[in-house]
Each structure stands twice: as C-alpha cells, then as structure tokens.
Amino acid sequence: MPDLPIAFEIGSMVVVVAILLADLVIVSRRSHEPTMRESGLWVGFYVGLALLFALAMLVFAGGDASGQFLAGWLTEYSLSIDNLFVFVIIMARFAVPKPIQQAVLMMGIIIALVLRGVFILLGARLIEDFSWIFYLFGAWLIWTAIQQVREDHDGEEQEDSFIVRLLRRRVRVTDTYDGIRLRTHVDGQRHFTPMLVVLVAIGTTDLLFALDSIPAIFGITESAFIVFTANVFALMGLRQLYFLLGGLLERLIYLKYGIALILAFIGVKLVLHALHENELPFLNGGQHVEWAPEIGTWTSLAVIVVAIGGATLASLVRMRHEPVDRRPVER
C-alpha cells in the first residue's frame, strides 16, 4: 500500500467533509431543479477537484498512489453513473416532484457514503486478516459483470423491493408529498409521506451498489484512505450529473457493457492477485502461484478509460444514427 503522510490524510478528510457540508447547506436552503448550465458548472467543479486531489497525491505520495486514486475514482464514477439509471427509475416510479429531486438525491448520496464507509472498514479488516477474501471478491465481481450484461435498465417492468412493499403494508403513507418532510398531518392524524418510501428505495439500492463497488475498488488499491476518498469524489457532483444528463442516461445503451468489462477485468485481477499471494493449504500446497501475474495500476487505469470511453462513444454514435421516433422518451 502507498505510504501517505498522516497530515495529508487528515487535511484531505477535513476539506472533503467541509465541502460535503457546504453542499448540504446549499441544497437545504435552495431546493430547486438546477439548470443545465448550473449543473454543468458544478459537475466540472467536482471533476476538477478530483483531478487536483490526484495531483496532490502525486506530489505527496508518488505516482503509484495517484494512479490508484485515478483508477479507483473512474471505476467508482462509472458505477455511480450506473446507479443514476436506478435513481431515474425511482424518481419516476414514485412521482417525485422536480423541485425536491435535488434534496432527495443529496440524501441518497449521504446514505451511500455512510454505507460505503462501513463496507470499506469491513473490507479493509477482512483483507488484513484473510488474504483469501480476494478469491470471493473476484468471483463476486465476475458474476456481477455477467448480471450487468444480462439485466435491463428499463424500470417500467421492475417491481418494488420486498422492503418497500412491506413498508407500504405496515405504515400509513399519504398519496401526496409535503416538501421533503417525512411526516405530515392528515385529518388531525400523523401520516408518513411518500418521501419515506423513496428514501428506503434509494437506501436499499445504495446498499446493493456498495456490494459491487467496494470489492471493485479494493481490486485496484488496498489503501482504505484511497478507497474512501475515491468513493467520496465519485459521489460528489452525482446530484448535478443527474440533472445534466437527464434523458441522455437512457440513451447510453452501451454503457452497461463498459461497466461489465471493468468489473470482469477487476474480478480477474483480484483472482490473479489472490493466486499470487495464495495461502490456502489445499491450493498449490499453500504456496504462492508463481505464474499468476500482478496487473499494474496503470494497466488497470488504461482498461478503465478505454472501456468507459469506448462505451460512451459507441452509445453516442448509435444515438446519432438512430431515428428520432425510436429514441427513448425523456421523463
């Protein structure tokens, strides 16, 4: 793992938390549907911030640490964009009013950060105590890649999760929203608003995506600090990206194949790493498998960039040559 100065780690965390809190204050005071220009400026700001952080890591920790952060950030960013497909479905399914969608997304991002923080701590401990966990991580990512190719992002046919259905049966929920409030009064009685159901749906979605994203980035770096910061920078700006892309999300039809390629590549990389560091007594007599190669950080970064760039470019070319009447209708 890269040797990062303690002062750099502490200072970075303070700055990141301050930015997140400032963003939260802005959303709570100005809950509205941002314009394309506003969304574009914020997305550009957060992407630039991530690149500046990578440059700072290059200065303080060297090229390998910086490369690990970039590869991890791009991986998490691509998975976060995939997460946006589900957010689009949730927003449409529960008819979330546009003026409060920004606040809903911010709460979803906070939930995702908390869940991923827990998974990072658990993952780091497992890696430290049980090196064979890489076999499980690798197999899980390869299976997830296969499911990614097979699944359909069209949410019109998808059903609510078991937790959401259970919540609807057990809790009194109104038919209309009351801003971003979770509870409201109806005929003198306290009822929950649909906001509760939306947050539960987003929370369960975040949990499922954390199960994929954390093993994926641990395949790039074993540094818990880099894993967490890459996740934070990937999630920052996701709210604005939702409004910037809009209906374009549904037209990036090849993006899921690029993401599947990344997950499969990292899954194979994890299995090879596990073989190289093998300590299982029933495999090769508990000895390291010498022929298993270690895939470097910069190779991983190149594969990630090519996969996402190629999938996005192919989707845009397909969209350009597709008849207008066959394109997905924007919600």
Side-chain angles (χ1 to χ4, degrees):
M1 292 188 292
D3 186 17
L4 296 166
I6 297 297
F8 175 74
E9 291 189 7
I10 295 175
S12 299
M13 296 304 296
V14 170
V15 172
V16 165
V17 170
I19 293 173
L20 286 174
L21 289 176
D23 203 3
L24 182 60
V25 170
I26 291 173
V27 171
S28 63
R29 292 185 176 181
R30 297 183 65 247
S31 184
H32 67 292
E33 182 183 2
T35 63
M36 292 284 288
R37 182 176 181 276
E38 180 184 349
S39 299
L41 289 174
W42 276 108
V43 170
F45 169 74
Y46 283 122
V47 170
L49 206 60
L51 295 178
L52 283 176
F53 184 76
L55 182 61
M57 292 199 70
L58 177 64
V59 173
F60 288 101
D64 195 48
S66 179
Q68 288 179 17
F69 171 77
L70 282 174
W73 170 63
L74 286 173
T75 298
E76 294 301 312
Y77 205 74
S78 61
L79 290 171
S80 296
I81 292 175
D82 195 43
N83 203 349
L84 284 181
F85 282 102
V86 183
F87 283 172
V88 168
I89 294 169
I90 292 173
M91 295 292 187
R93 191 175 193 85
F94 297 107
V96 179
K98 287 190 175 182
I100 66 172
Q101 285 185 3
Q102 188 171 193
V104 172
L105 287 169
M106 191 64 192
M107 287 184 275
I109 290 170
I110 292 173
I111 294 172
L113 280 173
V114 172
L115 291 174
R116 294 187 187 198
V118 172
F119 275 84
I120 289 168
L121 292 175
L122 292 175
R125 186 57 185 268
L126 287 172
I127 288 171
E128 183 179 348
D129 295 342
F130 309 103
S131 61
W132 49 263
I133 199 71
F134 283 116
Y135 287 112
L136 298 182
F137 281 178
W140 172 259
L141 290 179
I142 293 171
W143 182 84
T144 302
I146 295 172
Q147 294 300 112
Q148 176 76 13
V149 172
R150 294 174 58 188
E151 77 175 3
D152 187 0
H153 280 118
D154 186 3
E156 296 301 326
E157 302 298 325
Q158 295 188 12
E159 296 183 356
D160 294 333
S161 68
F162 169 76
I163 296 176
V164 170
R165 294 198 303 272
L166 181 64
L167 184 65
R168 284 184 177 278
R169 289 198 300 266
R170 298 296 180 89
V171 177
R172 291 183 298 184
V173 180
T174 63
D175 295 327
T176 58
Y177 290 85
D178 186 8
I180 61 173
R181 295 182 177 88
L182 292 178
R183 303 198 71 180
T184 188
H185 284 89
V186 177
D187 297 330
Q189 292 184 327
R190 299 279 287 176
H191 289 69
F192 285 99
T193 69
M195 180 65 69
L196 175 66
V197 183
V198 171
L199 290 181
V200 170
I202 288 179
T204 52
T205 298
D206 286 335
L207 177 61
L208 294 175
F209 273 92
L211 290 173
D212 297 337
S213 66
I214 300 307
I217 193 171
F218 269 120
I220 296 170
T221 178
E222 294 181 35
S223 168
F225 172 77
I226 294 179
V227 171
F228 184 72
T229 51
N231 270 274
V232 171
F233 279 102
L235 290 171
M236 287 197 306
L238 192 63
R239 171 171 52 85
Q240 291 87 356
L241 188 64
Y242 171 88
F243 293 100
L244 179 65
L245 294 180
L248 182 61
L249 275 174
E250 299 176 10
R251 300 174 187 175
L252 298 177
I253 58 175
Y254 297 123
L255 182 61
K256 67 176 183 179
Y257 298 107
I259 294 173
L261 176 59
I262 292 173
L263 292 175
F265 168 77
I266 297 176
V268 171
K269 178 183 176 181
L270 281 173
V271 172
L272 291 174
H273 175 73
L275 288 171
H276 189 79
E277 302 292 331
N278 178 62
E279 295 177 355
L280 294 177
F282 56 84
L283 186 62
N284 197 37
Q287 300 299 313
H288 305 330
V289 180
E290 298 297 334
W291 59 261
E294 287 278 23
I295 300 175
T297 299
W298 297 104
T299 302
S300 301
L301 182 59
V303 171
I304 293 166
V305 170
V306 170
I308 293 301
T312 302
L313 181 61
S315 299
L316 294 177
V317 171
R318 169 71 179 272
M319 185 177 66
R320 183 176 181 181
H321 292 88
E322 191 175 47
V324 175
D325 59 353
R326 292 184 59 189
R327 295 179 183 175
V329 178
E330 295 186 18
R331 291 187 173 94

